[in-house]
Amino acid sequence: MAATAAIAFVGFMGAGKTTMAQRAGRVLGVEVADVDALIAAEAGRPVTKIFAERGEAGFRELEERVTLEALGRGGAVALGGGAVESERVRAALHEHVA
């Protein structure tokens, strides 16, 4: 089975990943996923609060799972600033990114 193609935006917090993913989504006609927004929606609280409650390790576990799901769906994906620290995310980027 072929991997689903995605275009991923990676960079520091505030670098414009979400903005560029939204623009790419419009131009390419694909779904857009903002990993931080997906995490906040799933948890029902802002990323900063999740980070404070679960600590960095707990947040990174959640970030990794949500990132892998988003990359698996394809489209334009704005990753969280620390997502590429995960070996599994880096492997998924090689598998799914066009």
Side-chain angles (χ1 to χ4, degrees):
M1 180 154 112
T4 304
I7 181 169
F9 295 86
V10 178
F12 291 111
M13 180 176 51
K17 299 178 298 285
T18 299
T19 299
M20 296 309 296
Q22 290 169 342
R23 288 181 184 173
R26 279 193 304 273
V27 169
L28 300 172
V30 297
E31 280 192 49
V32 176
D34 178 304
V35 171
D36 284 343
L38 293 172
I39 291 168
E42 181 178 310
R45 59 186 52 82
V47 167
T48 53
K49 189 155 182 119
I50 300 165
F51 208 96
E53 292 171 354
R54 297 186 181 188
E56 183 172 4
F59 174 77
R60 296 294 176 206
E61 286 177 19
L62 179 58
E63 179 182 49
E64 179 184 77
R65 181 180 56 75
V66 172
T67 300
L68 294 173
E69 290 170 0
L71 289 171
R73 287 190 299 273
V77 183
L79 274 63
V84 295
E85 293 179 21
S86 161
E87 288 183 38
R88 291 180 66 204
V89 168
R90 290 192 306 269
L93 286 168
H94 286 288
E95 180 181 348
H96 295 288
V97 174

